[in-house]
Amino acid sequence: MATSELLDVAPAAKVAPRVALLTGLRPTGSLTLANVVGAVQPLLGRQQLEQQPILLFVADLHALTDNEPAAVAGQVRATVADLLALGIDASRIRLFVQSAVLDDVNELAGYLARLVRVSELLRQPSLKDKLRAGQGAEQASAALLMYPVLMAADILLHGAAVVPVGEDQLAHLELARLLARRFNAAHGPTLVEPRALPGPALRILALRGEKKMSKSDPETALLLDDDAATANRKIAGCQTAVEGRMSPHLASHLQLIESLDPEAAGEATAIVAGHLRGERVMGRFKQHFARVVTDYLARVQSRRARLTSGDIDLVLAEGRAFARGSARRTLGEARQAMRFRADVPRTE
């Protein structure tokens, strides 16, 4: 069957998953508290429940699409330390750096690239979202164009059953599912078609403005690296709501308090109830908000300070070994299915 014909063939092909869940985080600066409650906390609950492995990778290759390599390299170990300090149990979640399977990811991405149209890549949100103001697709780097294929290779390389996704990433997972179907249609059942695991119904806004909280605007975000004085200053200047009304920002702050410290949620809810009755209590709300955030940051930063370089080395070595074994099993099966003998040197 010709490649052009494969692009329109998508029958179902069931392959048993080997990994319960796979997800990644880009090492592009300190995590925000929105990252924590949206991406990390859901893993903390699942790590005690899953029988199959969970894979969590630091996506340094993805970060290269719009960041300088030296800056990305400098953030990798800091991101690992943050994840461990947040409670990731390395005996239950295999934590590795994406570039540890660099050869494998790129090889599978090359096979998958045969099965996707340029027009399909041009419609992907990652390209549209990352284009600078006034920039057209013709000025974008090829790395941005191929970003969804690289992401699909990450997912399909390990046979993950589910992948947590936010609304902004759903299109990327759908492309990975489509490429798995196309590969399997051409070569027989080989790649797992993963399901989407919807993220928590949270929308943590920036402290000011209408956008989501993001590390790209650190003055309107609460970062894991913030000291108490910095967090207090940011919260003192945050948006809340006009008297007697609930605003998106106030709802967002309340969600963050509930996620970081459920025991503090009752007092926060009571303060908001007073606000809705017309009481002037937003100063008290900000004080409570700041206390919850600074207490949480102090606990995480204390655990992070106790981690040694050796602790991080051990976690990454164990994760690297698992990820390479998983990746090479999938690639071996893919080459066999394609009847292709690849002479690829392996980086150890």
Side-chain angles (χ1 to χ4, degrees):
M1 191 178 295
T3 300
S4 59
E5 294 175 302
L6 291 177
L7 294 175
D8 297 311
V9 177
K14 301 297 183 182
V15 184
R18 299 194 310 272
V19 168
L21 181 151
L22 178 140
T23 191
L25 287 171
R26 294 183 359 138
T28 53
S30 177
L31 297 179
T32 70
L33 293 189
N35 297 141
V36 171
V37 302
V40 181
Q41 284 189 344
L43 292 178
L44 302 183
R46 294 186 71 99
Q47 70 183 355
Q48 303 299 326
L49 303 176
E50 297 291 351
Q51 298 301 311
Q52 289 181 304
I54 294 174
L55 297 189
L56 172 58
F57 65 94
V58 179
D60 55 342
L61 299 180
H62 290 315
L64 295 179
T65 60
D66 53 357
N67 292 274
E68 289 300 314
V72 172
Q75 287 291 332
V76 168
R77 291 177 68 86
T79 300
V80 174
D82 283 343
L83 292 170
L84 295 175
L86 287 166
I88 293 297
D89 182 349
S91 69
R92 295 178 178 271
I93 294 181
R94 303 290 186 164
L95 182 58
F96 67 99
V97 179
Q98 184 187 21
S99 57
V101 289
L102 172 65
D103 293 340
D104 311 285
V105 169
N106 285 333
E107 184 180 345
L108 184 58
Y111 301 150
L112 297 176
R114 299 178 60 250
L115 306 176
V116 63
R117 296 184 179 98
V118 171
S119 61
E120 290 173 316
L121 295 178
L122 289 171
R123 292 195 297 268
Q124 289 295 307
S126 60
L127 181 63
K128 296 177 181 179
D129 293 346
K130 292 181 183 298
L131 289 177
R132 295 188 297 274
Q135 185 184 34
E138 62 276 9
Q139 285 91 39
S141 73
L144 277 178
L145 185 69
M146 289 296 293
Y147 179 92
V149 179
L150 186 65
M151 182 178 288
D154 282 318
I155 295 168
L156 301 179
L157 194 59
H158 299 286
V162 298
V163 177
V165 289
E167 186 177 346
D168 56 342
Q169 294 290 327
L170 190 57
H172 295 148
L173 181 61
E174 285 305 313
L175 181 66
R177 288 165 52 83
L178 177 62
L179 291 177
R181 289 197 299 273
R182 287 175 177 173
F183 187 97
N184 293 342
H187 306 296
T190 307
L191 301 177
V192 175
E193 186 180 334
R195 293 181 291 106
L197 178 68
L202 296 173
R203 180 173 171 79
I204 306 301
L205 295 176
L207 296 175
R208 299 186 304 278
E210 303 307 315
K211 295 182 179 180
K212 293 190 295 184
M213 186 179 290
S214 169
K215 62 182 74 171
S216 65
D217 188 0
E219 278 304 304
T220 65
L222 293 166
L223 308 176
L224 277 187
D225 287 349
D226 284 345
D227 58 27
T230 300
N232 279 315
R233 174 179 58 77
K234 290 179 179 180
I235 292 172
C238 74
Q239 289 177 237
T240 49
V242 298
E243 187 174 324
R245 296 185 182 180
M246 175 66 82
S247 72
H249 279 91
L250 185 55
S252 172
H253 304 334
L254 188 58
Q255 282 187 317
L256 191 53
I257 290 171
E258 292 171 344
S259 298
L260 298 179
D261 187 353
E263 293 183 0
E267 182 177 346
T269 301
I271 296 172
V272 170
H275 165 75
L276 295 177
R277 292 192 298 268
E279 299 172 13
R280 300 175 64 86
V281 291
M282 283 296 93
R284 181 179 159 206
F285 179 86
K286 286 187 178 182
Q287 290 175 353
H288 184 62
F289 186 17
R291 185 162 54 251
V292 170
V293 167
T294 55
D295 286 351
Y296 180 83
L297 292 177
R299 292 194 299 272
V300 173
Q301 290 169 6
S302 176
R303 290 194 293 267
R304 192 182 192 279
R306 293 196 295 271
L307 290 169
T308 68
S309 181
D311 294 331
I312 296 171
D313 288 342
L314 179 60
V315 166
L316 289 180
E318 292 175 348
R320 182 189 309 118
F322 184 92
R324 285 181 174 175
S326 172
R328 290 171 190 179
R329 174 178 170 179
T330 299
L331 275 176
E333 293 169 354
R335 292 191 211 110
Q336 184 175 8
M338 293 187 297
R339 297 185 176 88
F340 179 64
R341 182 175 179 178
D343 184 14
V344 180
R346 289 298 168 201
T347 302
E348 297 299 342

